[in-house]
Amino acid sequence: MIIIIILILIIILFLLIDELSNIKLVENFNNNGYLIIPNILDDNDCNNILKIIDNEEKNDNITGEINSQYNRKDLMLNIKDVDIYIKKVYKKIKNFIDTTIPDATIIECSSLISEKGAYPQIWHTDIDPEQKYKNYANLVSFGIYLDDINDKMGPLEVYPKSNKLFSKINNLYKKYKIEEYDEEQSNEDNVGLNKQSIIDLMNIFKLKNKLCCGKKGSIVIWSSKIVHRGGENKLKKRPVFYFSLIGKGSKPDGSTYSLKKNNKSIKIKNL
């Protein structure tokens, strides 16, 4: 009898630890707008996804309309080809996903690939701050690093906590009298948009950008409301497999929604 009670107490303890860990993840994500979690997939999983991407590049090669497409592309993948890996991610962080995006639907399934020479994207949010919907759905993206990604490979860059400014961005431009502009500079050394009003806003709130580097098999999770960009790639090909989940509500404006037309949106719990 004593042994049974001890076993029950051990199970309860593990459940409490798991729940506390989940609460911490959700809290960090809601506060900062992003998370990086190591060891989500192993080397073999990552290599298999790379083969799927390589095969897709040789065949369909259907891409999404992302900004700064020079040496950078958003290559769409078939859900059925990668569903086993999405399932593995879901199994490992199920509590986080179910808490953050209840009854989540897969709305994007793609790969972000930047080659050496890709210049920085403009800073942006994945959905438009000027939403026409009042009750728009929560949209969150999950990117798996398929190689060790360092600061010279143009990793995802974010402004932590900028997600909290999302719904007020346009009003804040007016409040602080920030002129909405994008100044384009294009020459041999610097190609792309090098000056944006959104950077002025980040500076006012003293927010600092962060590089999301990570080991192969890590996952970076980011809110569609966080200010971010793909960085400048000075080294070699940077492959990232990603999928995005959407919750209940109206489909928000502004996202690329990189999902092949022959793929139907699927509840992640039904994979």
Side-chain angles (χ1 to χ4, degrees):
M1 186 66 181
I2 295 175
I3 294 174
I4 294 173
I5 293 172
I6 292 173
L7 287 172
I8 291 172
L9 289 174
I10 290 172
I11 291 170
I12 292 172
L13 180 61
F14 274 111
L15 288 173
L16 285 173
I17 290 172
D18 185 57
E19 181 58 27
L20 288 172
S21 176
N22 180 60
I23 290 170
K24 190 68 175 177
L25 285 177
V26 172
E27 186 178 275
N28 285 343
F29 179 75
N30 288 337
N31 284 337
N32 296 307
Y34 81 104
L35 283 175
I36 301 175
I37 305 173
N39 304 317
I40 286 291
L41 295 181
D42 60 30
D43 273 12
N44 189 54
D45 290 334
C46 292
N47 291 338
N48 287 337
I49 297 172
L50 284 169
K51 289 176 184 176
I52 292 168
I53 292 173
D54 184 59
N55 186 60
E56 194 68 34
E57 284 186 291
K58 293 174 182 175
N59 295 307
D60 288 352
N61 204 16
I62 300 172
T63 58
E65 293 296 322
I66 57 172
N67 67 62
S68 303
Q69 295 191 49
Y70 178 71
N71 278 357
R72 176 184 281 108
K73 62 183 171 184
D74 178 23
L75 181 69
M76 298 183 200
L77 305 175
N78 285 304
I79 291 178
K80 65 179 179 62
D81 291 337
V82 292
D83 59 0
I84 184 175
Y85 307 108
I86 297 176
K87 284 182 191 178
K88 286 188 176 185
V89 172
Y90 183 50
K91 184 177 180 181
K92 287 200 172 183
I93 54 173
K94 181 180 185 299
N95 288 342
F96 170 80
I97 290 175
D98 289 346
T99 303
T100 309
I101 324 135
D103 202 29
T105 299
I106 300 170
I107 197 73
E108 292 189 300
C109 182
S110 195
S111 54
L112 290 169
I113 303 167
S114 78
E115 305 283 351
K116 180 180 178 180
Y119 52 83
Q121 289 182 305
I122 62 170
W123 290 101
H124 64 282
T125 55
D126 281 338
I127 60 175
D128 189 348
E130 294 186 13
Q131 284 298 317
K132 63 182 179 184
Y133 303 109
K134 289 184 179 179
N135 298 313
Y136 59 87
N138 190 23
L139 179 65
V140 179
S141 296
F142 299 74
I144 293 95
Y145 293 170
L146 304 177
D147 194 359
D148 292 346
I149 294 179
N150 61 40
D151 58 355
K152 293 192 170 44
M153 293 170 68
L156 177 73
E157 299 180 46
V158 299
Y159 274 100
K161 302 185 185 303
S162 60
N163 52 305
K164 294 183 175 181
L165 303 177
F166 176 78
S167 61
K168 303 178 285 187
I169 282 179
N170 292 302
N171 288 333
L172 289 171
Y173 283 153
K174 295 175 184 177
K175 179 179 178 179
Y176 292 102
K177 298 180 180 179
I178 298 173
E179 181 183 355
E180 293 188 49
Y181 61 83
D182 290 319
E183 181 179 311
E184 186 171 5
Q185 179 174 318
S186 180
N187 55 46
E188 292 181 0
D189 299 319
N190 188 350
V191 183
L193 293 160
N194 72 327
K195 196 171 184 182
Q196 294 180 258
S197 51
I198 202 164
I199 297 176
D200 290 345
L201 191 59
M202 298 299 101
N203 289 337
I204 285 173
F205 283 86
K206 297 181 180 179
L207 299 183
K208 303 294 183 182
N209 61 303
K210 177 178 175 59
L211 299 176
C212 295
C213 301
K215 293 291 186 180
K216 185 176 182 178
S218 300
I219 191 169
V220 58
I221 307 170
W222 70 96
S223 166
S224 59
K225 300 175 183 178
I226 195 171
V227 177
H228 68 282
R229 70 177 181 178
E232 179 182 7
N233 191 338
K234 300 177 180 179
L235 190 60
K236 63 175 183 175
K237 186 173 184 176
R238 175 178 64 85
V240 175
F241 161 59
Y242 81 94
F243 60 92
S244 297
L245 300 177
I246 194 169
K248 294 179 180 179
S250 302
K251 191 175 173 181
D253 295 326
S255 177
T256 305
Y257 293 117
S258 296
L259 190 67
K260 286 194 172 188
K261 290 182 179 179
N262 62 343
N263 283 193
K264 293 181 180 179
S265 296
I266 302 170
K267 299 282 185 186
I268 193 168
K269 65 184 179 183
N270 294 333
L271 278 179

